[in-house]
Amino acid sequence: MVSIYSRREESAKKFADDYNCKHWTLNMEESIAHPDVDIVCIALPNNLHEAAVMLCCKHKKAVMTTKPLGRNAEEAKRMLLAVEEAGIFNGYLEDLVYTPKFIKANESVKNGALGRILWAKSRETHPGPHSDWFWDLEQAGGGCILDLGCHCVEISRSYIGKDIKPIEVMCWADTQVKPIDAEDHAIGLVKYENGAIGQFEVSWTFRGGLDLRDEVMGTEGTIWINSFLRTGFDMFTTGKGGDYIAEKAESNTGWLFPVGDELNELGYNHMFMDMFNAMEKNEPPKETFYDGYVVNAILDAAYRSAKTKLWEPVVLDIWRGKTGLTKESHLVEFDADHYLVKEEMTHYGTKKLILKNKHTGKISEQVMEF
């Protein structure tokens, strides 16, 4: 679906009446080109994103598109260059970096609460998508890696730092359950230039609902987030009078885990607020087509790795972040002769230090009396 937004309610109503938009049966270019259209939201199968974006460029219409941006990095790159050459507003609708829990967690990370980020892991698993086109390899461009991995990669990339370059990917993928041509289960590691590791776990074979979890580990702390499956709202029912429970819930009987405000918990409110506020201010939103392009490039490497069983390089023809980084030192100075390995408080009330001699490499322990 291509959704059309107008700032003027009366004009929008006239537009709908004039062109019978109730069922969105208009020719796509006619819809996009209409003078009262301010921004186009592309919610089409992945193979149609590029055509819709090019029409927005042709008619100079602001555009935002659902994830992934393209079926691969080449498509994404063409769309990125096109919107930038046309000079139009572009937004990448990656809702899971707008969830309230993610926003709060990422603020803590940026403020240094976890120290240097070493590892960021994101998991999205569920029984599979709603619509038929997701299951068609030509239309979708891939399976759960492209459908769910795009979320996970952008989440971990945001924790590590979107200006830190992804270098290479190691990925396992397989078709374990579904009678489809694409993968329905995958696990991948993304190595970043500063030594940090991103990890994604994705599946269309998971039973039990929608499982969204993040883990972030740094030198000074850890964050665990369970965004959806365990909500703090537990309910048991025999199913009498049962109806919709939550996104991709598999049952309406037994112990269930409803979501109090699903649209908000999945980030949609914050995402669209960011898009429209940025558009009004004539500035980029938090997520742009450039982000979608980087994600596609990482996922391309994941697909190559799944075939070769090797670490595969991330090919980024366009990179706008930091360059030339090296792995940061993990050595913590204790004194002139020692590095600190670990410090702990013992059960008998004294502090113990584990030290490494800089010259001999010998590990020793020292008990500090109080």
Side-chain angles (χ1 to χ4, degrees):
M1 181 177 72
V2 177
S3 300
I4 310 297
Y5 293 83
S6 172
R7 297 188 187 95
R8 297 170 291 279
E9 185 176 350
E10 289 184 4
S11 179
K13 184 178 184 302
K14 182 178 184 298
F15 173 50
D17 291 342
D18 288 349
Y19 288 87
N20 190 26
C21 288
K22 183 177 181 180
H23 300 292
W24 303 100
T25 57
L26 282 179
N27 173 277
M28 185 161 65
E29 183 166 8
E30 287 182 304
S31 301
I32 291 171
H34 194 279
D36 285 337
V37 169
D38 295 304
I39 184 168
V40 177
C41 177
I42 300 171
L44 294 164
N46 299 340
N47 62 316
L48 301 177
H49 284 194
E50 186 175 4
V53 167
M54 295 307 172
L55 287 172
C56 292
C57 294
K58 175 181 177 181
H59 296 285
K60 303 294 185 182
K61 301 293 185 177
V63 61
M64 51 188 176
T65 185
T66 52
K67 59 79 199 171
L69 178 56
R71 290 176 294 179
N72 52 59
E74 278 302 311
E75 284 188 356
K77 178 183 172 182
R78 290 195 295 267
M79 286 184 266
L80 168 62
L81 294 176
V83 295
E84 292 184 342
E85 184 178 349
I88 60 175
F89 175 91
N90 58 94
Y92 178 55
L93 298 179
E94 176 44 78
D95 60 296
L96 294 187
V97 298
Y98 289 96
T99 69
K101 289 178 183 176
F102 173 86
I103 290 171
K104 182 67 174 179
N106 206 34
E107 284 176 358
S108 297
V109 168
K110 288 182 176 179
N111 289 334
L114 271 59
R116 177 164 53 93
I117 299 303
L118 308 173
W119 173 52
K121 170 185 171 183
S122 184
R123 168 185 172 95
E124 180 171 1
T125 62
H126 57 61
H130 299 301
S131 301
D132 56 356
W133 66 263
F134 284 92
W135 304 93
D136 182 273
L137 186 58
E138 174 59 27
Q139 293 185 77
C144 62
I145 292 178
L146 196 59
D147 179 37
L148 308 181
C150 58
H151 288 304
C152 299
V153 163
E154 189 66 350
I155 288 169
S156 59
R157 179 174 168 253
S158 297
Y159 284 129
I160 291 168
K162 293 204 296 183
D163 58 344
I164 307 300
K165 192 174 184 179
I167 300 301
E168 54 184 351
V169 180
M170 170 64 79
C171 180
W172 165 87
D174 199 1
T175 308
Q176 294 188 310
V177 176
K178 309 296 185 182
I180 57 174
D181 297 325
E183 76 289 347
D184 60 17
H185 198 169
I187 300 171
L189 296 174
V190 183
K191 189 183 296 183
Y192 287 80
E193 195 173 39
N194 67 347
I197 286 287
Q199 180 177 339
F200 64 83
E201 300 176 3
V202 293
S203 181
W204 285 347
T205 69
F206 176 77
R207 305 311 299 267
L210 175 59
D211 187 13
L212 301 176
R213 281 182 277 167
D214 301 340
E215 297 179 30
V216 191
M217 183 180 75
T219 55
E220 304 298 327
T222 303
I223 290 175
W224 293 346
I225 295 177
N226 195 323
S227 295
F228 209 77
L229 193 59
R230 294 293 183 179
T231 62
F233 182 173
D234 296 359
M235 176 179 75
F236 179 86
T237 175
T238 62
K240 185 177 181 180
D243 202 347
Y244 180 86
I245 300 298
E247 171 76 3
K248 294 184 176 68
E250 289 202 273
S251 174
N252 61 2
T253 63
W255 280 107
L256 306 171
F257 313 103
V259 180
D261 185 349
E262 190 167 314
L263 291 178
N264 193 59
E265 288 301 313
L266 288 174
Y268 292 107
N269 295 344
H270 294 85
M271 178 178 69
F272 283 111
M273 184 66 70
D274 177 52
M275 293 292 159
F276 292 129
N277 283 345
M279 182 180 168
E280 292 290 342
K281 295 176 183 177
N282 196 30
E283 62 185 29
K286 186 168 77 171
E287 294 287 317
T288 69
F289 276 27
Y290 173 70
D291 296 298
Y293 161 70
V294 174
V295 169
N296 267 128
I298 293 172
L299 296 181
D300 280 1
Y303 278 113
R304 290 195 301 271
S305 176
K307 292 180 179 179
T308 66
K309 314 300 182 187
L310 300 171
W311 283 95
E312 289 288 343
V314 178
V315 180
L316 282 166
D317 297 332
I318 303 170
W319 174 246
R320 296 167 180 171
K322 297 175 181 177
T323 57
L325 296 181
T326 58
K327 182 179 177 181
E328 297 181 42
S329 174
H330 62 281
L331 303 175
V332 179
E333 296 276 345
F334 177 71
D335 59 25
D337 295 317
H338 296 89
Y339 294 116
L340 177 66
V341 178
K342 185 184 178 184
E343 176 182 320
E344 64 180 334
M345 185 63 69
T346 68
H347 65 282
Y348 46 87
T350 60
K351 181 185 289 185
K352 179 188 283 189
L353 304 175
I354 308 295
L355 304 173
K356 179 179 179 179
N357 189 289
K358 294 180 181 180
H359 312 292
T360 67
K362 182 180 178 181
I363 303 293
S364 62
E365 64 180 59
Q366 182 176 329
V367 176
M368 310 292 288
E369 300 290 346
F370 291 96

